[in-house]
Amino acid sequence: MTTATEFLDAFNNSFVNRDSSYLDAIMAENCTIHFTGLHQTMTRRECLDWSESGFCNGCDNYEIIQDTDDSIAGTHRAWGSSEEDGKWNSNCFFFAKKMGGKILEWYVHARPIVD
């Protein structure tokens, strides 16, 4: 069974290396990523492209709440930069449904870290 930490590491490695192959290996063909605070959903292809875009530069500080055969949940920190907002830093809650050892649906709710 792929652990929650291994899934998060795949996201981090894709962001740090701007290489979607890490995510490609863990996502089901019909995977969707839901950004609940933005009311935005990405398809698998959109997420793979996004992971290489440089918008997100990494994630760390994982706190795993649940890690079972069919779902994972927890929190992590993420950071990056965008032309519109400049540098950003957020704490995120995530929940994901798994099937066959791959991510089927990933939900993330980010809250900015205010210095």
Side-chain angles (χ1 to χ4, degrees):
M1 173 179 91
T2 305
T3 67
T5 299
E6 290 169 326
F7 284 119
L8 290 164
D9 283 345
F11 275 93
N12 186 54
N13 288 331
S14 287
F15 298 144
V16 169
N17 298 305
R18 292 192 183 183
D19 178 355
S20 65
S21 67
Y22 298 96
L23 280 179
D24 188 45
I26 64 154
M27 297 172 81
E29 287 301 314
N30 58 340
C31 181
T32 53
I33 309 294
H34 306 270
F35 297 93
T36 58
L38 300 172
H39 305 286
Q40 179 185 15
T41 299
M42 284 186 190
T43 65
R44 181 181 192 277
R45 178 76 260 154
E46 289 169 333
C47 185
L48 293 173
D49 293 344
W50 170 73
S51 73
E52 295 179 340
S53 72
F55 177 81
C56 188
N57 295 324
C59 59
D60 64 8
N61 294 341
Y62 314 152
E63 293 291 332
I64 307 306
I65 298 168
Q66 178 172 324
D67 194 348
T68 66
D69 287 343
D70 60 357
S71 66
I72 59 174
T75 63
H76 65 79
R77 183 178 73 100
W79 64 93
S81 62
S82 71
E83 289 182 23
E84 300 85 32
D85 302 323
K87 290 188 177 187
W88 59 269
N89 194 10
S90 295
N91 283 321
C92 304
F93 173 80
F94 72 91
F95 172 79
K97 295 179 185 179
K98 302 186 310 186
M99 183 181 293
K102 299 213 178 223
I103 295 298
L104 186 59
E105 294 178 57
W106 189 282
Y107 297 85
V108 63
H109 193 85
R111 301 305 282 170
I113 297 172
V114 180
D115 292 330

